[in-house]
């Protein structure tokens, strides 16, 4: 019989690991811009960001923990082929196409270039991803490396910045920037939460977390769920404090006045650098470099490991873990040479499509997984969400196609102003298919 490790130690380590896995490049550079653009309505924006960037990812971890040991186990409730397709799309988004390259690009722009302007981004990409490869090649030590060593350094540097920024704000909270995003501060926070990619990452990270919990001796579903919920509370509280602090720092920033740039010219990384130097002076550049390096490194390690694991499992060992990890770091290094803003700009259309689909999957399995046995309601609700999300993508692409009729229908859907227009149609579809399935 396997010996249980101390529960408090396991919960704390896993909780810190969850925080560090989720808190990566996007999580650091997105909140200040949310605060700057929403001004006095920053709390409302924080609520939206809290739902899409903290609560939803935690529910993703919880759903997988209750269903099995990995994301593909959700196929038992939906359909194995559909889950496989979603798994590939998700792993490409959170892996080598978007999230991992963004960690390298952000570290270079915020943490390295200000101090070493002569260093080539190509050279840096090679160095950064070589470190990621070395630290992720052995998956059994990942949670311990992240939870015990890297996270405390990350937290200390961020807390120092936020506490001083709250005590000595650059200026009083500003007005909301009219027309910068949308009329609703909640909508600003909620949709920016998409860019964290954390809902997508959560269902993949769950496998790493479950492996760590099981290796500590907690193998039953009941034990896993208890440990996961407790660890999730630690990571949720830490994320809420950090996000709230960074959004507040953005709301009190004098970036526009100091730089004279227009709202359309705002650079996320430059805003973050301006805030850190305004609060801490020249030391701020160094502190931010440390925070960025550790935030991005921890996330890159977790995502690279998850990519290697999922492709190994889906290919039935034809793509071994170490090969998958190596290929992932090579592709990520190549894409990371692009700027952060360019990576974010091309990623938004992918996220507008895939994010609501995964959100729907998590929500309905969590709410109805035990009481609805048929797979058809889950599949039908996902299809409806996918169709509505596709309309959102087409509208955002602005392709000059004659689709005004579809766009008007979408705009009339309930909760459209909150970018939750898919919620009610998918729920109605789920109820209808559930009713017919039970009659049969």
């Amino acid at each position: 019989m396997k010996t249980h490790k101390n529960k408090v130690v396991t919960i704390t380590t896993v909780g810190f690991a969850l925080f560090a896995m989720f808190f990566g490049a996007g999580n650091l550079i997105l909140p200040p811009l949310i605060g700057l653009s929403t001004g006095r309505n920053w709390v409302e924006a924080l609520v939206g960001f809290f739902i899409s960037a903290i609560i939803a990812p935690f529910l993703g971890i919880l759903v997988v923990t209750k269903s099995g040991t990995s994301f593909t186990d959700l196929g038992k409730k939906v359909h194995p082929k559909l889950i496989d397709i979603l798994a590939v799309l998700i792993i490409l988004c959170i892996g080598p196409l978007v999230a991992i390259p963004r960690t390298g690009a952000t570290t270079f722009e915020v943490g390295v270039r200000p101090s070493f302007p002569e260093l080539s981004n190509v050279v840096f990409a090679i160095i950064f991803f070589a470190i990621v490869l070395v630290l992720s090649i052995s998956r059994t030590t990942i949670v311990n490396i992240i939870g015990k060593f890297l996270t405390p350094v990350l937290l200390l540097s961020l807390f120092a910045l936020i506490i001083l920024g709250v005590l000595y704000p650059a200026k009083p909270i500003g007005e909301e920037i009219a027309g910068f995003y949308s009329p609703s501060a909640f909508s600003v926070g909620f949709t920016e939460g998409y860019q964290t990619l954390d809902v997508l990452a959560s269902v993949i990270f769950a496998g790493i977390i479950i492996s760590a919990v099981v290796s500590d001796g907690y193998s039953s579903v009941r034990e896993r769920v208890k440990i996961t919920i407790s660890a999730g509370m630690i990571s949720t509280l830490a994320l809420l404090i950090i996000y709230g602090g960074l959004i507040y720092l953005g709301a009190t920033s004098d970036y526009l006045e100091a730089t004279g740039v227009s709202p359309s010219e705002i650079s996320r990384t430059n805003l973050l650098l301006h805030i850190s130097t305004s609060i801490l002076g020249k030391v701020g550049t160094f502190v931010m470099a440390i925070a960025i390096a550790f935030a991005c490194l921890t996330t890159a390690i977790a995502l690279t490991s998850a990519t290697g694991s999922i492709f190994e499992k889906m290919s039935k060992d034809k793509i071994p873990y170490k090969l998958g990890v190596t290929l992932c770091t090579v592709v990520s290094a190549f894409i990371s040479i692009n700027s952060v803003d360019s990576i974010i700009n091309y990623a938004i259309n992918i996220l507008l499509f895939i994010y609501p689909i995964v959100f729907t999957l998590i929500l309905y399995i969590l709410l109805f997984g035990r009481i609805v046995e048929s797979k058809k309601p889950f599949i039908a609700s996902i299809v409806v969400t996918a169709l509505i999300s596709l309309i959102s993508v087409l509208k955002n692409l602005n392709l000059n196609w004659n689709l005004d009729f579809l766009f008007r229908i979408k705009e009339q859907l309930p909760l459209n102003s909150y970018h939750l227009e898919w919620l009610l149609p998918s729920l109605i579809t789920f109820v209808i298919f559930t009713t017919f399935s039970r009659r049969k």
Side-chain angles (χ1 to χ4, degrees), residues 2 51 131 165 215 248 296 299 303 315 319 334 368-369 401:
K2 194 161 187 178
I51 293 172
I131 296 171
S215 68
Y248 179 81
C296 294
T299 300
L303 291 174
S315 68
I319 303 177
F334 179 76
F368 309 116
W401 294 356

Side-chain angles (χ1 to χ4, degrees), residues 29 42-43 45 69 76 90 110 117 145 161 166 215 264 302 360 406:
I29 63 176
W42 70 274
V43 175
T69 58
K76 300 169 188 174
I90 290 169
V110 181
I145 290 172
L161 178 68
V166 171
S215 68
S264 61
T360 300
L406 289 177

Side-chain angles (χ1 to χ4, degrees), residues 4-244:
H4 288 64
K5 281 191 178 180
N6 183 282
K7 184 176 287 189
V8 175
V9 174
T10 298
I11 290 172
T12 304
T13 301
V14 173
F16 280 158
L18 269 175
F19 166 81
M21 286 176 175
F22 284 136
F23 197 84
N27 310 69
L28 193 52
I29 63 176
L30 295 172
L33 185 57
I34 294 173
L36 182 67
S37 61
T38 56
R40 292 179 180 174
N41 298 316
W42 70 274
V43 175
E44 184 183 341
L46 174 60
V47 172
F49 198 71
F50 177 74
I51 293 172
S52 61
I54 301 179
I55 295 297
F58 173 64
L59 294 180
I61 294 279
L62 196 58
V63 164
V64 176
T65 304
K66 287 186 172 184
S67 302
T69 58
S70 69
F71 175 64
T72 52
D73 289 327
L74 298 183
K76 300 169 188 174
K77 289 303 302 178
V78 187
H79 192 284
K81 293 294 183 184
L82 178 59
I83 291 297
D84 285 346
I85 293 171
L86 280 177
V88 172
L89 292 175
I90 290 169
I91 205 66
L92 290 176
C93 285
I94 69 169
L97 295 187
V98 180
I100 300 178
R102 195 173 65 185
T103 62
T106 304
T107 305
F108 177 73
E109 290 186 20
V110 181
V112 175
R113 188 167 60 188
S115 300
F116 305 98
E118 70 283 355
L119 182 65
S120 164
N121 60 345
V122 176
V123 173
F124 172 77
I126 294 172
I127 296 171
F128 180 85
F129 285 101
I131 296 171
V132 171
L133 178 61
V134 170
L135 294 179
S136 60
I137 203 74
S138 177
R139 54 182 147 187
T140 56
T141 60
I142 288 169
V143 170
N144 281 332
I145 290 172
I146 293 174
K148 290 182 179 179
F149 303 108
L150 300 184
T151 305
V153 177
L154 169 61
L155 280 171
L156 286 174
S157 57
L158 288 174
F159 278 139
L161 178 68
I162 290 170
I163 291 171
L164 290 173
V166 171
L167 292 175
Y168 308 103
K171 69 178 183 66
I173 295 178
E175 297 290 340
E176 181 176 13
I177 301 177
F180 186 66
Y181 273 115
S182 75
S184 167
F186 176 90
S187 178
V188 172
F190 188 84
T191 51
E192 281 292 287
Y194 285 7
Q195 282 287 358
T196 66
L197 286 87
D198 284 348
V199 164
L200 308 185
S202 68
V203 293
I204 305 300
F205 283 164
I208 299 174
I209 295 301
I210 292 169
S211 296
V213 172
V214 171
S215 68
D216 281 358
Y218 302 95
S219 55
S220 71
V221 175
R222 184 181 179 86
E223 288 177 322
R224 293 203 313 257
V225 171
K226 281 187 175 182
I227 294 290
T228 302
I229 290 175
S230 299
M233 289 179 179
I234 292 175
S235 65
T236 295
L237 181 61
L239 286 169
L240 180 60
I241 293 171
I242 298 296
Y243 287 152

Side-chain angles (χ1 to χ4, degrees), residues 159-437:
F159 278 139
L161 178 68
I162 290 170
I163 291 171
L164 290 173
V166 171
L167 292 175
Y168 308 103
K171 69 178 183 66
I173 295 178
E175 297 290 340
E176 181 176 13
I177 301 177
F180 186 66
Y181 273 115
S182 75
S184 167
F186 176 90
S187 178
V188 172
F190 188 84
T191 51
E192 281 292 287
Y194 285 7
Q195 282 287 358
T196 66
L197 286 87
D198 284 348
V199 164
L200 308 185
S202 68
V203 293
I204 305 300
F205 283 164
I208 299 174
I209 295 301
I210 292 169
S211 296
V213 172
V214 171
S215 68
D216 281 358
Y218 302 95
S219 55
S220 71
V221 175
R222 184 181 179 86
E223 288 177 322
R224 293 203 313 257
V225 171
K226 281 187 175 182
I227 294 290
T228 302
I229 290 175
S230 299
M233 289 179 179
I234 292 175
S235 65
T236 295
L237 181 61
L239 286 169
L240 180 60
I241 293 171
I242 298 296
Y243 287 152
L246 289 173
I247 289 175
Y248 179 81
L249 294 185
T252 56
S253 171
D254 62 348
Y255 179 73
L256 293 178
E257 295 86 345
T259 60
V261 302
S262 66
S264 61
E265 297 173 326
I266 294 174
S267 165
R268 291 172 174 85
T269 53
N270 287 341
L271 171 60
L272 187 60
L273 278 172
H274 176 80
I275 290 172
S276 63
T277 52
S278 297
I279 296 170
L280 300 173
K282 292 183 178 180
V283 179
T285 303
F286 177 70
V287 171
M288 190 49 57
I290 294 174
I292 280 284
F294 281 96
C296 294
L297 187 61
T298 52
T299 300
I301 293 167
L303 291 174
T304 302
S305 174
T307 301
S309 296
I310 201 76
F311 278 124
E312 181 183 56
K313 185 171 183 178
M314 292 184 66
S315 68
K316 297 179 180 178
D317 297 330
K318 291 180 181 177
I319 303 177
Y321 173 78
K322 291 184 178 181
L323 175 61
V325 164
T326 303
L327 292 174
C328 179
T329 51
V330 170
V331 174
S332 299
F334 179 76
I335 296 178
S336 73
I337 297 171
N338 296 291
S339 70
V340 172
D341 286 327
S342 66
I343 295 174
I344 287 176
N345 289 338
Y346 86 71
I348 186 60
N349 293 307
I350 302 172
L351 300 177
L352 282 173
F353 179 71
I354 192 68
Y355 219 91
I357 293 174
V358 178
F359 213 149
T360 300
L361 176 69
I362 291 170
L363 190 61
Y364 292 161
I365 289 181
L366 188 65
L367 294 177
F368 309 116
R370 288 190 175 185
I371 59 177
V372 177
E373 295 181 359
S374 174
K375 295 180 179 180
K376 292 179 181 178
F378 295 97
I379 296 173
S381 61
I382 289 172
V383 170
V384 169
T385 299
L387 292 174
I388 295 173
S389 299
L390 182 60
I391 296 173
S392 299
V393 173
L394 292 173
K395 184 177 181 180
N396 195 62
L397 287 172
N398 195 22
L399 298 174
N400 293 323
W401 294 356
N402 189 18
L403 299 173
D404 291 343
F405 175 69
L406 289 177
F407 298 156
R408 284 196 297 270
I409 292 176
K410 173 187 169 296
E411 290 170 0
Q412 295 302 315
L413 291 174
L415 303 176
N416 177 68
S417 61
Y418 298 104
H419 290 272
L420 289 168
E421 63 276 1
W422 49 269
L423 184 57
L424 193 58
S426 67
L427 180 59
I428 293 172
T429 302
F430 188 91
V431 171
I432 292 172
F433 273 79
T434 299
T435 303
F436 278 105
S437 298

